[in-house]
Amino acid sequence: MEAFFQPIKLSVTVSLIALIIVSTIGITVAFLMARKQFKGKVWIETLLLLPIVLPPTVIGFILIMLFGQNGVLGKMTNLLLNQTLMFTIWAAVIAAVIVAFPLMYQSVKTGLSFVDRHIEDAARVDGANEWKVFRFITLPLIQKSILSGIILSFARALGEFGATLMFAGNIPGRTQTIPMAIYVAFESNKMTLAWAWVLSIIVVSFIMLLFLRKSA
């Protein structure tokens, strides 16, 4: 049983860590992109959304080029941590963050586009600083968009396969997430085990989407 639950535990752990990172960065970047006008904004936003359309293998290849032993970030991590991030749980987290970020970003940015700016301006007139306006006015108004981004990002991170396989590898107990465990079980003709993992990820994804629909 431990062998069955290990990929599930690892997938949930990776997805939750990725979700924390994606939520923090996604909300911040979405707010800045929605409220600031600057030259090259369209180019930057296109770059932020690019992982949605790129094949996972391309993302995995780019991550290897960046974090590999000869990559710029790889040399930095080797220097600072005395080890590479490739083929570790953190490689799986990075891959999950890259593919899940656009979903959080786009969801929050869409929510911000429907916020009545007059409400925020009224709070400023009453003496609220920018942080208080953001914390007590803007965030509550876009909470449904944030919830939508959280659920979609978590589901995307949970189902990530291609980039994770290339960058983190498929090491049982260390980097083998549910999608990779399903692939290995299928290739080994262990269909009962494969079906068990397939059903587990379907159930989790279905519950999250159902919750999203009910909260909309």
Side-chain angles (χ1 to χ4, degrees), residues 5-214:
F5 284 107
Q6 186 63 45
I8 297 176
K9 292 178 181 178
L10 184 61
S11 289
V12 172
T13 301
V14 168
S15 299
L16 287 176
I17 296 174
L19 180 61
I20 293 172
I21 298 172
V22 164
S23 299
T24 303
I25 299 177
I27 294 173
T28 303
V29 174
F31 182 80
L32 293 175
M33 293 294 288
R35 299 301 167 83
K36 303 293 183 180
Q37 297 297 328
F38 53 89
K39 188 176 181 180
K41 179 179 177 180
V42 174
W43 290 88
I44 294 176
E45 186 166 42
T46 302
L47 183 63
L48 294 175
L49 296 175
L50 196 58
I52 291 180
V53 296
L54 284 179
T57 50
V58 173
I59 296 174
F61 175 81
I62 293 173
L63 289 174
I64 291 173
M65 292 298 101
L66 289 174
F67 288 93
Q69 291 186 351
N70 297 321
V72 176
L73 297 179
K75 291 179 180 178
M76 290 177 59
T77 54
N78 279 328
L79 182 63
L80 295 174
L81 305 176
N82 197 31
Q83 68 174 29
T84 179
L85 292 180
M86 289 185 62
F87 307 118
T88 67
I89 187 175
W90 293 109
V93 169
I94 292 172
V97 167
I98 296 298
V99 300
F101 173 82
L103 296 173
M104 172 61 76
Y105 169 79
Q106 188 60 40
S107 180
V108 174
K109 187 169 180 290
T110 300
L112 286 168
S113 68
F114 290 101
V115 172
D116 189 346
R117 300 291 294 273
H118 292 93
I119 299 176
E120 295 175 322
D121 292 337
R124 294 186 181 97
V125 171
D126 289 337
N129 57 33
E130 291 302 318
W131 166 246
K132 287 184 177 180
V133 171
F134 178 72
R135 170 67 180 83
F136 296 105
I137 303 297
T138 309
L139 281 182
L141 289 175
I142 62 171
Q143 60 182 351
K144 287 187 177 180
S145 296
I146 293 175
L147 178 60
S148 175
I150 287 174
I151 292 176
L152 293 175
S153 298
F154 183 83
R156 181 65 185 87
L158 192 67
E160 165 52 31
F161 175 74
T164 304
L165 178 61
M166 292 185 65
F167 186 44
N170 182 30
I171 307 173
R174 289 182 57 189
T175 63
Q176 187 183 69
T177 55
I178 298 176
M180 285 183 282
I182 293 171
Y183 177 77
V184 171
F186 175 76
E187 286 292 300
S188 304
N189 201 32
K190 298 178 180 178
M191 301 307 294
T192 301
L193 188 58
W195 268 114
W197 277 319
V198 166
L199 290 175
S200 67
I201 199 169
I202 287 177
V203 168
V204 173
S205 300
F206 180 83
I207 291 173
M208 289 190 298
L209 289 176
L210 183 62
F211 180 76
L212 177 60
R213 293 289 297 172
K214 286 190 174 183

